Amino acid sequence: MNGFERELEERLVRYARVDTQSDERSPSSPSTAIQLDLARMLVAELTEIGAAEVQLTEYGVVLATVPATREGAPVIGFLAHVDTAPQFHAVGVKPVVHRGYNGGPIAFADAPGLTLSPESSSHLAEKIGHDIITASGTTLLGADDKAGVAVIMTLARHLLTNPDLPHGAIRIAFTPDEEIGRGVDKRLPKDLGADFAYTLDGGAVGEIEYESFSADGASVKITGVSVHPGLAKGKMVNALHLAAKIVTALPQATMTPEVTDGREGFLHLYEQRGSAAEVELNFILRDFERDGLAAKGELLRAVCAAVQAGEPRATISCEIRPQYRNMRYWLENDMAPVELARAACRAEGIEPVSVPIRGGTDGSRLTEMGVPTPNIFTGMQEIHGPLEWISVQDMATATRVCLRLTELAATPG
Ligand SMILES: [Zn+2]
């Protein structure tokens, strides 16, 4: 036992209390200025523990270096994101530590009736005796991804206070706006300057992930014909009716998030805005393969075209834009970073598992931009909701795996 637990707990609790929710609707970068509160805190803490080249970039990323203690080792990057998910309440998070978990249901002070239990969260049954951190019932916790931040900060502090440990240069990056897909500025790969990197943004202990979704976004705009309803006969074209036709023509029983898992992709309508005159439908398209993703785009276009053909007086447009691509396309050409993380897991007595991520990470974009960046577990569970929890001991395991990884990379053979 090397005392990571107390430090990790203290860091996560402290970081989780800082509001950092991102906002997809905001055009600014970072999308919310509150994210900089945590970024500035991390700059101060990195400086205090003696990290080098500590910097807050103009695009809102905290960068720092743990200088090498061995020559010739690769430069490894570690990344985590400071923002929390926009999908659930994330203001005024009150972290609660449930010490020495007894295996029963966990109650929430601010939400009577809400319980977290091994029945509803399968990994919890494995954590008897662990210290479990949750929020208080009305917000998410934000272990996604402040657990990653806490792990990287603890790793950095440990390496900086133990200069006899062998490792190459380590580059640290704390990004904003990962949850809204804007965490990787085009300047980041060069500024990071790592040979390869890892995001600390994964779930269960042992997960080393190198496959993410490939992702597109789509906007369908429908312009009807607006006429006074009393004088509308033969003239009005109601955009809301056309939107409903498009939505119902799409395969809801086979291709939506709520009916797919594993390697299946989906087409997800996440927002509908507008009026009889004009409607906008916003979708995300997800698939593990380029072909499957393209097919989903074609399906959406075909449905729009069919509805348009049935009502030539309306104008229906369908714009599809790329978001990120499955990082496997690049990582499978050189699995060394993945194998290194797996070796570090095994050295810590953990059997690594690789499951495809039904989402993306900053690593998806970074990998596409030339910095191979698989994802390492932190222990976080039930993210983006009030039941979010993490085991302090799992975070300590993640920290030990990262520590071992830096050592293995500096001592080949
Ligand atoms: Zn995350």
mmCIF file of all heavy atoms in Angstrom, residues 268-296:
data_model
loop_
_atom_site.group_PDB
_atom_site.id
_atom_site.type_symbol
_atom_site.label_atom_id
_atom_site.label_comp_id
_atom_site.label_asym_id
_atom_site.label_seq_id
_atom_site.Cartn_x
_atom_site.Cartn_y
_atom_site.Cartn_z
ATOM 1 N N HIS A 268 -29.650 8.441 -33.753
ATOM 2 C CA HIS A 268 -30.326 8.962 -32.563
ATOM 3 C C HIS A 268 -30.795 10.403 -32.779
ATOM 4 O O HIS A 268 -29.982 11.305 -32.987
ATOM 5 C CB HIS A 268 -29.351 8.887 -31.379
ATOM 6 C CG HIS A 268 -29.850 9.529 -30.121
ATOM 7 N ND1 HIS A 268 -31.127 9.358 -29.646
ATOM 8 C CD2 HIS A 268 -29.232 10.354 -29.226
ATOM 9 C CE1 HIS A 268 -31.271 10.055 -28.521
ATOM 10 N NE2 HIS A 268 -30.147 10.665 -28.258
ATOM 11 N N LEU A 269 -32.111 10.581 -32.762
ATOM 12 C CA LEU A 269 -32.683 11.937 -32.782
ATOM 13 C C LEU A 269 -32.605 12.474 -31.368
ATOM 14 O O LEU A 269 -33.257 11.972 -30.460
ATOM 15 C CB LEU A 269 -34.149 11.881 -33.230
ATOM 16 C CG LEU A 269 -34.935 13.200 -33.124
ATOM 17 C CD1 LEU A 269 -34.409 14.244 -34.089
ATOM 18 C CD2 LEU A 269 -36.421 12.954 -33.355
ATOM 19 N N TYR A 270 -31.777 13.503 -31.145
ATOM 20 C CA TYR A 270 -31.620 13.994 -29.770
ATOM 21 C C TYR A 270 -32.258 15.355 -29.560
ATOM 22 O O TYR A 270 -32.359 15.826 -28.438
ATOM 23 C CB TYR A 270 -30.152 14.012 -29.337
ATOM 24 C CG TYR A 270 -29.286 15.040 -30.017
ATOM 25 C CD1 TYR A 270 -29.088 16.295 -29.447
ATOM 26 C CD2 TYR A 270 -28.662 14.761 -31.224
ATOM 27 C CE1 TYR A 270 -28.286 17.245 -30.072
ATOM 28 C CE2 TYR A 270 -27.869 15.690 -31.849
ATOM 29 C CZ TYR A 270 -27.677 16.937 -31.275
ATOM 30 O OH TYR A 270 -26.894 17.874 -31.887
ATOM 31 N N GLU A 271 -32.704 15.977 -30.651
ATOM 32 C CA GLU A 271 -33.304 17.302 -30.470
ATOM 33 C C GLU A 271 -34.215 17.624 -31.643
ATOM 34 O O GLU A 271 -33.903 17.324 -32.792
ATOM 35 C CB GLU A 271 -32.196 18.360 -30.394
ATOM 36 C CG GLU A 271 -32.702 19.731 -30.024
ATOM 37 C CD GLU A 271 -31.558 20.729 -29.925
ATOM 38 O OE1 GLU A 271 -30.791 20.845 -30.901
ATOM 39 O OE2 GLU A 271 -31.429 21.362 -28.870
ATOM 40 N N GLN A 272 -35.363 18.218 -31.290
ATOM 41 C CA GLN A 272 -36.308 18.673 -32.321
ATOM 42 C C GLN A 272 -36.754 20.058 -31.903
ATOM 43 O O GLN A 272 -37.249 20.259 -30.799
ATOM 44 C CB GLN A 272 -37.492 17.710 -32.367
ATOM 45 C CG GLN A 272 -38.618 18.173 -33.247
ATOM 46 C CD GLN A 272 -39.621 17.066 -33.535
ATOM 47 O OE1 GLN A 272 -39.287 15.889 -33.499
ATOM 48 N NE2 GLN A 272 -40.855 17.448 -33.806
ATOM 49 N N ARG A 273 -36.537 21.043 -32.790
ATOM 50 C CA ARG A 273 -36.905 22.415 -32.452
ATOM 51 C C ARG A 273 -37.679 23.001 -33.598
ATOM 52 O O ARG A 273 -37.363 22.740 -34.755
ATOM 53 C CB ARG A 273 -35.655 23.292 -32.273
ATOM 54 C CG ARG A 273 -34.773 22.927 -31.127
ATOM 55 C CD ARG A 273 -33.295 23.077 -31.454
ATOM 56 N NE ARG A 273 -32.883 24.397 -31.891
ATOM 57 C CZ ARG A 273 -32.558 25.397 -31.071
ATOM 58 N NH1 ARG A 273 -32.633 25.235 -29.781
ATOM 59 N NH2 ARG A 273 -32.165 26.558 -31.540
ATOM 60 N N GLY A 274 -38.665 23.842 -33.285
ATOM 61 C CA GLY A 274 -39.294 24.553 -34.379
ATOM 62 C C GLY A 274 -40.772 24.734 -34.226
ATOM 63 O O GLY A 274 -41.346 24.615 -33.135
ATOM 64 N N SER A 275 -41.406 25.034 -35.341
ATOM 65 C CA SER A 275 -42.817 25.403 -35.383
ATOM 66 C C SER A 275 -43.392 24.904 -36.701
ATOM 67 O O SER A 275 -42.685 24.292 -37.499
ATOM 68 C CB SER A 275 -42.935 26.923 -35.321
ATOM 69 O OG SER A 275 -42.318 27.459 -36.478
ATOM 70 N N ALA A 276 -44.663 25.205 -36.943
ATOM 71 C CA ALA A 276 -45.295 24.790 -38.199
ATOM 72 C C ALA A 276 -44.542 25.337 -39.411
ATOM 73 O O ALA A 276 -44.514 24.722 -40.470
ATOM 74 C CB ALA A 276 -46.751 25.249 -38.216
ATOM 75 N N ALA A 277 -43.905 26.478 -39.234
ATOM 76 C CA ALA A 277 -43.211 27.100 -40.367
ATOM 77 C C ALA A 277 -41.867 26.441 -40.660
ATOM 78 O O ALA A 277 -41.481 26.259 -41.810
ATOM 79 C CB ALA A 277 -43.013 28.593 -40.088
ATOM 80 N N GLU A 278 -41.167 26.070 -39.575
ATOM 81 C CA GLU A 278 -39.784 25.617 -39.749
ATOM 82 C C GLU A 278 -39.402 24.664 -38.623
ATOM 83 O O GLU A 278 -39.674 24.953 -37.462
ATOM 84 C CB GLU A 278 -38.845 26.826 -39.655
ATOM 85 C CG GLU A 278 -38.084 27.088 -40.916
ATOM 86 C CD GLU A 278 -37.258 28.379 -40.808
ATOM 87 O OE1 GLU A 278 -37.184 28.980 -39.716
ATOM 88 O OE2 GLU A 278 -36.706 28.763 -41.831
ATOM 89 N N VAL A 279 -38.750 23.578 -38.957
ATOM 90 C CA VAL A 279 -38.324 22.621 -37.929
ATOM 91 C C VAL A 279 -36.871 22.226 -38.192
ATOM 92 O O VAL A 279 -36.445 22.099 -39.346
ATOM 93 C CB VAL A 279 -39.202 21.346 -37.944
ATOM 94 C CG1 VAL A 279 -38.668 20.300 -36.964
ATOM 95 C CG2 VAL A 279 -40.646 21.676 -37.596
ATOM 96 N N GLU A 280 -36.148 22.037 -37.086
ATOM 97 C CA GLU A 280 -34.797 21.490 -37.201
ATOM 98 C C GLU A 280 -34.741 20.208 -36.379
ATOM 99 O O GLU A 280 -35.138 20.179 -35.212
ATOM 100 C CB GLU A 280 -33.784 22.506 -36.667
ATOM 101 C CG GLU A 280 -32.349 22.027 -36.790
ATOM 102 C CD GLU A 280 -31.345 23.098 -36.347
ATOM 103 O OE1 GLU A 280 -31.695 24.293 -36.327
ATOM 104 O OE2 GLU A 280 -30.226 22.710 -36.002
ATOM 105 N N LEU A 281 -34.259 19.137 -36.999
ATOM 106 C CA LEU A 281 -34.062 17.858 -36.302
ATOM 107 C C LEU A 281 -32.559 17.614 -36.210
ATOM 108 O O LEU A 281 -31.857 17.690 -37.218
ATOM 109 C CB LEU A 281 -34.701 16.704 -37.090
ATOM 110 C CG LEU A 281 -36.198 16.793 -37.392
ATOM 111 C CD1 LEU A 281 -36.611 15.629 -38.299
ATOM 112 C CD2 LEU A 281 -36.999 16.759 -36.104
ATOM 113 N N ASN A 282 -32.091 17.321 -35.004
ATOM 114 C CA ASN A 282 -30.661 17.055 -34.849
ATOM 115 C C ASN A 282 -30.424 15.609 -34.433
ATOM 116 O O ASN A 282 -31.047 15.117 -33.494
ATOM 117 C CB ASN A 282 -30.050 18.025 -33.843
ATOM 118 C CG ASN A 282 -29.908 19.413 -34.443
ATOM 119 O OD1 ASN A 282 -29.319 19.563 -35.503
ATOM 120 N ND2 ASN A 282 -30.481 20.407 -33.788
ATOM 121 N N PHE A 283 -29.519 14.969 -35.149
ATOM 122 C CA PHE A 283 -29.226 13.544 -34.943
ATOM 123 C C PHE A 283 -27.748 13.340 -34.651
ATOM 124 O O PHE A 283 -26.913 14.116 -35.101
ATOM 125 C CB PHE A 283 -29.512 12.742 -36.217
ATOM 126 C CG PHE A 283 -30.940 12.710 -36.653
ATOM 127 C CD1 PHE A 283 -31.466 13.749 -37.428
ATOM 128 C CD2 PHE A 283 -31.769 11.639 -36.330
ATOM 129 C CE1 PHE A 283 -32.788 13.714 -37.854
ATOM 130 C CE2 PHE A 283 -33.081 11.594 -36.750
ATOM 131 C CZ PHE A 283 -33.599 12.632 -37.515
ATOM 132 N N ILE A 284 -27.455 12.245 -33.942
ATOM 133 C CA ILE A 284 -26.098 11.709 -33.996
ATOM 134 C C ILE A 284 -26.164 10.312 -34.619
ATOM 135 O O ILE A 284 -27.101 9.553 -34.388
ATOM 136 C CB ILE A 284 -25.394 11.667 -32.625
ATOM 137 C CG1 ILE A 284 -26.182 10.874 -31.588
ATOM 138 C CG2 ILE A 284 -25.120 13.083 -32.124
ATOM 139 C CD1 ILE A 284 -25.408 10.630 -30.295
ATOM 140 N N LEU A 285 -25.144 10.030 -35.435
ATOM 141 C CA LEU A 285 -25.026 8.747 -36.124
ATOM 142 C C LEU A 285 -23.783 8.046 -35.573
ATOM 143 O O LEU A 285 -22.713 8.669 -35.490
ATOM 144 C CB LEU A 285 -24.851 8.964 -37.628
ATOM 145 C CG LEU A 285 -26.065 9.349 -38.475
ATOM 146 C CD1 LEU A 285 -26.743 10.614 -37.973
ATOM 147 C CD2 LEU A 285 -25.653 9.545 -39.926
ATOM 148 N N ARG A 286 -23.936 6.770 -35.222
ATOM 149 C CA ARG A 286 -22.813 6.064 -34.615
ATOM 150 C C ARG A 286 -22.694 4.656 -35.202
ATOM 151 O O ARG A 286 -23.700 3.965 -35.393
ATOM 152 C CB ARG A 286 -23.010 5.926 -33.094
ATOM 153 C CG ARG A 286 -23.080 7.258 -32.337
ATOM 154 C CD ARG A 286 -21.725 7.944 -32.306
ATOM 155 N NE ARG A 286 -21.700 9.150 -31.496
ATOM 156 C CZ ARG A 286 -21.883 10.394 -31.953
ATOM 157 N NH1 ARG A 286 -22.133 10.601 -33.231
ATOM 158 N NH2 ARG A 286 -21.801 11.427 -31.138
ATOM 159 N N ASP A 287 -21.461 4.242 -35.448
ATOM 160 C CA ASP A 287 -21.203 2.871 -35.895
ATOM 161 C C ASP A 287 -19.722 2.592 -35.672
ATOM 162 O O ASP A 287 -18.918 3.516 -35.635
ATOM 163 C CB ASP A 287 -21.565 2.695 -37.375
ATOM 164 C CG ASP A 287 -21.842 1.243 -37.716
ATOM 165 O OD1 ASP A 287 -20.873 0.475 -37.913
ATOM 166 O OD2 ASP A 287 -23.020 0.858 -37.769
ATOM 167 N N PHE A 288 -19.359 1.326 -35.521
ATOM 168 C CA PHE A 288 -17.944 1.019 -35.331
ATOM 169 C C PHE A 288 -17.192 0.967 -36.661
ATOM 170 O O PHE A 288 -15.970 1.011 -36.671
ATOM 171 C CB PHE A 288 -17.762 -0.288 -34.551
ATOM 172 C CG PHE A 288 -18.059 -0.099 -33.086
ATOM 173 C CD1 PHE A 288 -19.289 -0.460 -32.563
ATOM 174 C CD2 PHE A 288 -17.134 0.504 -32.254
ATOM 175 C CE1 PHE A 288 -19.572 -0.246 -31.227
ATOM 176 C CE2 PHE A 288 -17.412 0.734 -30.915
ATOM 177 C CZ PHE A 288 -18.635 0.354 -30.399
ATOM 178 N N GLU A 289 -17.936 0.862 -37.773
ATOM 179 C CA GLU A 289 -17.286 0.758 -39.078
ATOM 180 C C GLU A 289 -17.697 1.909 -39.980
ATOM 181 O O GLU A 289 -18.808 2.407 -39.909
ATOM 182 C CB GLU A 289 -17.643 -0.583 -39.740
ATOM 183 C CG GLU A 289 -17.290 -1.806 -38.897
ATOM 184 C CD GLU A 289 -15.820 -1.871 -38.489
ATOM 185 O OE1 GLU A 289 -14.960 -1.300 -39.189
ATOM 186 O OE2 GLU A 289 -15.531 -2.490 -37.446
ATOM 187 N N ARG A 290 -16.780 2.298 -40.855
ATOM 188 C CA ARG A 290 -17.048 3.407 -41.776
ATOM 189 C C ARG A 290 -18.259 3.103 -42.657
ATOM 190 O O ARG A 290 -19.106 3.967 -42.893
ATOM 191 C CB ARG A 290 -15.838 3.661 -42.680
ATOM 192 C CG ARG A 290 -14.659 4.292 -41.972
ATOM 193 C CD ARG A 290 -13.598 4.651 -43.018
ATOM 194 N NE ARG A 290 -12.458 5.327 -42.441
ATOM 195 C CZ ARG A 290 -11.287 4.750 -42.188
ATOM 196 N NH1 ARG A 290 -11.119 3.476 -42.460
ATOM 197 N NH2 ARG A 290 -10.292 5.434 -41.684
ATOM 198 N N ASP A 291 -18.328 1.847 -43.158
ATOM 199 C CA ASP A 291 -19.433 1.456 -44.045
ATOM 200 C C ASP A 291 -20.776 1.608 -43.337
ATOM 201 O O ASP A 291 -21.737 2.122 -43.894
ATOM 202 C CB ASP A 291 -19.306 -0.018 -44.457
ATOM 203 C CG ASP A 291 -18.081 -0.252 -45.305
ATOM 204 O OD1 ASP A 291 -17.394 0.744 -45.612
ATOM 205 O OD2 ASP A 291 -17.815 -1.415 -45.652
ATOM 206 N N GLY A 292 -20.806 1.105 -42.102
ATOM 207 C CA GLY A 292 -22.050 1.158 -41.330
ATOM 208 C C GLY A 292 -22.462 2.590 -41.047
ATOM 209 O O GLY A 292 -23.650 2.937 -41.085
ATOM 210 N N LEU A 293 -21.477 3.438 -40.783
ATOM 211 C CA LEU A 293 -21.776 4.845 -40.510
ATOM 212 C C LEU A 293 -22.309 5.523 -41.772
ATOM 213 O O LEU A 293 -23.317 6.241 -41.731
ATOM 214 C CB LEU A 293 -20.507 5.559 -40.024
ATOM 215 C CG LEU A 293 -20.707 6.989 -39.542
ATOM 216 C CD1 LEU A 293 -21.554 7.015 -38.273
ATOM 217 C CD2 LEU A 293 -19.363 7.677 -39.306
ATOM 218 N N ALA A 294 -21.637 5.229 -42.905
ATOM 219 C CA ALA A 294 -22.085 5.821 -44.166
ATOM 220 C C ALA A 294 -23.499 5.355 -44.509
ATOM 221 O O ALA A 294 -24.327 6.140 -44.984
ATOM 222 C CB ALA A 294 -21.116 5.447 -45.294
ATOM 223 N N ALA A 295 -23.792 4.090 -44.222
ATOM 224 C CA ALA A 295 -25.121 3.548 -44.529
ATOM 225 C C ALA A 295 -26.199 4.269 -43.715
ATOM 226 O O ALA A 295 -27.306 4.526 -44.223
ATOM 227 C CB ALA A 295 -25.159 2.044 -44.243
ATOM 228 N N LYS A 296 -25.873 4.620 -42.476
ATOM 229 C CA LYS A 296 -26.850 5.327 -41.643
ATOM 230 C C LYS A 296 -27.103 6.732 -42.189
ATOM 231 O O LYS A 296 -28.230 7.225 -42.192
ATOM 232 C CB LYS A 296 -26.382 5.347 -40.191
ATOM 233 C CG LYS A 296 -26.520 3.969 -39.574
ATOM 234 C CD LYS A 296 -25.995 3.873 -38.176
ATOM 235 C CE LYS A 296 -26.239 2.466 -37.647
ATOM 236 N NZ LYS A 296 -25.562 1.392 -38.422
#
